[in-house]
Amino acid sequence: MEADDTEAIKRLVESGFGYRFLPEHAVREVAFYHTLRVKGHRLTRSLALAMAQADYPRKLTESIASFLQAVLKPE
């Protein structure tokens, strides 16, 4: 099952409906959860910057996108 709502997913896990990968900060404040970290391995996920497509994009948005592309370019 998939759900976009982190809180709904947490409630399903609490009710015994399986397990889920969640951002660590989403479960940090609750002692109920058992978290698993595999030593020597790092989990990563892909993110995208969502911007409205417009004839006249905002300068700040363009600046941030350009900055991120420059700083995060693949090596």
Side-chain angles (χ1 to χ4, degrees):
M1 178 180 168
E2 288 188 29
D4 291 329
D5 181 10
T6 303
E7 290 302 316
I9 293 169
K10 286 167 57 176
R11 299 301 164 255
L12 288 168
V13 171
E14 289 172 10
S15 298
F17 288 97
Y19 59 91
R20 179 70 178 162
F21 290 104
L22 290 170
E24 191 172 12
H25 68 83
V27 295
R28 188 175 291 150
E29 71 280 353
V30 181
F32 172 83
Y33 301 103
H34 172 77
T35 58
L36 173 66
R37 302 210 44 112
V38 180
K39 208 172 191 178
H41 294 277
R42 182 179 169 128
L43 293 174
T44 60
R45 64 179 170 166
S46 297
L47 299 174
L49 176 61
M51 302 178 295
Q53 191 169 1
D55 292 334
Y56 303 101
R58 295 181 174 199
K59 293 287 184 193
L60 179 58
T61 303
E62 287 182 321
S63 296
I64 291 170
S66 295
F67 171 77
L68 290 173
Q69 287 175 328
V71 172
L72 301 174
K73 65 183 170 190
E75 294 180 19

